[in-house]
Amino acid sequence: MKKCKEVRNAGFMTKRNLRDAQTEVSQLEMELQRKDKLLRGLQERKRRMDAKLIFITYIDRAVESRKKHPTRFQNKKFSSSSSVLRQRRKETFAAAQKILGGSEETEVPGAIGIVDTALVKCSHSILVDEMSVNQKFNQSVMPSIYKPKLAEFESSTENMIRSVSVYYSSGVAGKKKYRKIYKDSSYKIAMQSKGKKHVRLSINNCPIPRLVPYNKLMPFIKSIPVGSMYSVYETLCEGLDEEYKVHGCYRNLAELLIKLAEFYLSSCSGHTLVWFEEEHRPLRYIDILIIMGFL
């Protein structure tokens, strides 16, 4: 019995020692993995540092070399060849991507950063000189910015008033004359294989603002309150021979004066009352009635 007990105890001790050894081996393996991971991280860091050192060295050499041949823009032309310009654009964009957080998946941060930097840091003259000869900006970008503003202006009250001014300039234009002005001011005749065609006048794909079309202008003009109109034939020609009667319209001066007074009091006239070279406050409505003899 005693011998069996000793054997059993020896077996237990062996198992315990084996478990302890396995635990120690596991710990050593974990430590080895941790140190291996740390080693790989250090190696990767060293690789990046070496690459950065090479890149910096290359950049320094490129900077020194390009100081001798800087990019210039003279007489609306670049001094460098197209291949050199392509290479420099590529390197500039790559550097901007690194600075501004771009990646292979998205180049938007770099693009936005370059445009923003150019608009903020470049002088007005440089922007004008460069963009004025850039086909992409003139034929695509600028029209995309301009056309929504154009549509907004053409439908605005300002353009409506402008069109009314044209309609009444040098007398009433009339339907035929106004439509001719509308067409001549916004369109040109282009010769095509099928004959003549009216083409919208534009500069760099930016159309010239048009007047309000006649069929939209007249309802606006007719909606303007102009007061009461009286027939000369019906009110002033009574008792006259038919040959002396005339057709026409007139407005009552008393009513017209009231309208002018309302316009003056509305502060829309833009004029200040000057009396004996001194400015005076606007007349009150009751003052105007007294002057007219109504009170």
Side-chain angles (χ1 to χ4, degrees), residues 169-221:
S169 62
S170 301
V172 179
K175 180 178 180 180
K176 186 176 181 180
K177 184 177 179 181
Y178 180 82
R179 285 186 168 175
K180 180 172 177 54
I181 294 172
Y182 172 85
K183 185 179 292 185
D184 292 345
S185 63
S186 304
Y187 294 87
K188 65 179 180 179
I189 297 176
M191 300 300 297
Q192 297 183 350
S193 58
K194 297 182 180 180
K196 296 180 180 180
K197 183 179 180 181
H198 285 88
V199 180
R200 184 80 177 270
L201 287 172
S202 63
I203 301 173
N204 285 340
N205 284 343
C206 296
I208 293 175
R210 295 175 295 189
L211 296 170
V212 176
Y214 181 82
N215 61 339
K216 293 183 179 180
L217 178 67
M218 293 314 297
F220 175 79
I221 292 177

Side-chain angles (χ1 to χ4, degrees), residues 4-5 20 45 66 68 82 100 120 152 174 190 241 287:
C4 290
K5 187 175 181 180
D20 293 342
R45 185 178 178 184
R66 290 176 184 181
K68 301 176 183 178
S82 57
L100 299 163
V120 173
E152 182 180 340
D241 294 336
D287 297 333

Side-chain angles (χ1 to χ4, degrees), residues 47-288:
R47 186 190 66 78
R48 289 199 301 267
M49 293 296 291
D50 291 341
K52 186 178 292 186
L53 180 61
I54 294 172
F55 179 75
I56 292 173
T57 304
Y58 169 76
I59 290 296
D60 290 340
R61 290 177 181 175
V63 168
E64 292 300 322
S65 174
R66 290 176 184 181
K67 282 181 180 179
K68 301 176 183 178
H69 305 284
T71 301
R72 297 184 185 276
F73 188 76
Q74 296 175 340
N75 299 324
K76 297 186 177 182
K77 291 183 179 180
F78 287 100
S79 59
S80 304
S81 64
S82 57
S83 59
V84 171
L85 288 174
R86 281 196 300 270
Q87 180 64 24
R88 292 186 178 183
R89 290 191 196 107
K90 182 178 179 181
E91 293 175 3
T92 301
F93 193 73
Q97 290 290 81
K98 294 179 180 296
I99 294 170
L100 299 163
S103 62
E104 294 181 356
E105 289 76 18
T106 174
E107 296 179 343
V108 174
I112 293 175
I114 285 180
V115 174
D116 177 68
T117 302
L119 293 175
V120 173
K121 291 295 185 180
C122 295
S123 66
H124 178 268
S125 60
I126 290 177
L127 291 173
V128 171
D129 291 343
E130 173 65 23
M131 292 182 177
S132 62
V133 298
N134 187 277
Q135 288 291 107
K136 182 178 181 180
F137 179 82
N138 289 325
Q139 300 298 325
S140 179
V141 177
M142 186 60 198
S144 299
I145 299 171
Y146 170 79
K147 286 179 180 179
K149 298 292 184 181
L150 172 66
E152 182 180 340
F153 172 77
E154 289 184 341
S155 60
S156 66
T157 304
E158 181 181 356
N159 192 40
M160 183 68 75
I161 295 173
R162 165 177 169 250
S163 302
V164 172
S165 176
V166 171
Y167 183 78
Y168 284 105
S169 62
S170 301
V172 179
K175 180 178 180 180
K176 186 176 181 180
K177 184 177 179 181
Y178 180 82
R179 285 186 168 175
K180 180 172 177 54
I181 294 172
Y182 172 85
K183 185 179 292 185
D184 292 345
S185 63
S186 304
Y187 294 87
K188 65 179 180 179
I189 297 176
M191 300 300 297
Q192 297 183 350
S193 58
K194 297 182 180 180
K196 296 180 180 180
K197 183 179 180 181
H198 285 88
V199 180
R200 184 80 177 270
L201 287 172
S202 63
I203 301 173
N204 285 340
N205 284 343
C206 296
I208 293 175
R210 295 175 295 189
L211 296 170
V212 176
Y214 181 82
N215 61 339
K216 293 183 179 180
L217 178 67
M218 293 314 297
F220 175 79
I221 292 177
K222 291 178 180 179
S223 68
I224 300 174
V226 295
S228 300
M229 304 294 292
Y230 300 94
S231 171
V232 175
Y233 184 88
E234 295 176 357
T235 59
L236 301 178
C237 296
E238 185 178 356
L240 297 177
D241 294 336
E242 193 65 30
E243 60 179 325
Y244 295 111
K245 292 182 179 181
V246 294
H247 294 273
C249 296
Y250 70 94
R251 297 175 65 181
N252 187 290
L253 291 180
E255 295 176 358
L256 180 60
L257 186 57
I258 292 291
K259 286 288 183 182
L260 292 175
E262 290 178 351
F263 175 70
Y264 174 72
L265 292 172
S266 68
S267 301
C268 295
S269 63
H271 297 286
T272 303
L273 180 63
V274 178
W275 188 260
F276 291 104
E277 299 183 354
E278 293 184 4
E279 293 186 0
H280 291 265
R281 62 173 176 79
L283 293 176
R284 296 172 299 171
Y285 192 71
I286 190 171
D287 297 333
I288 296 174

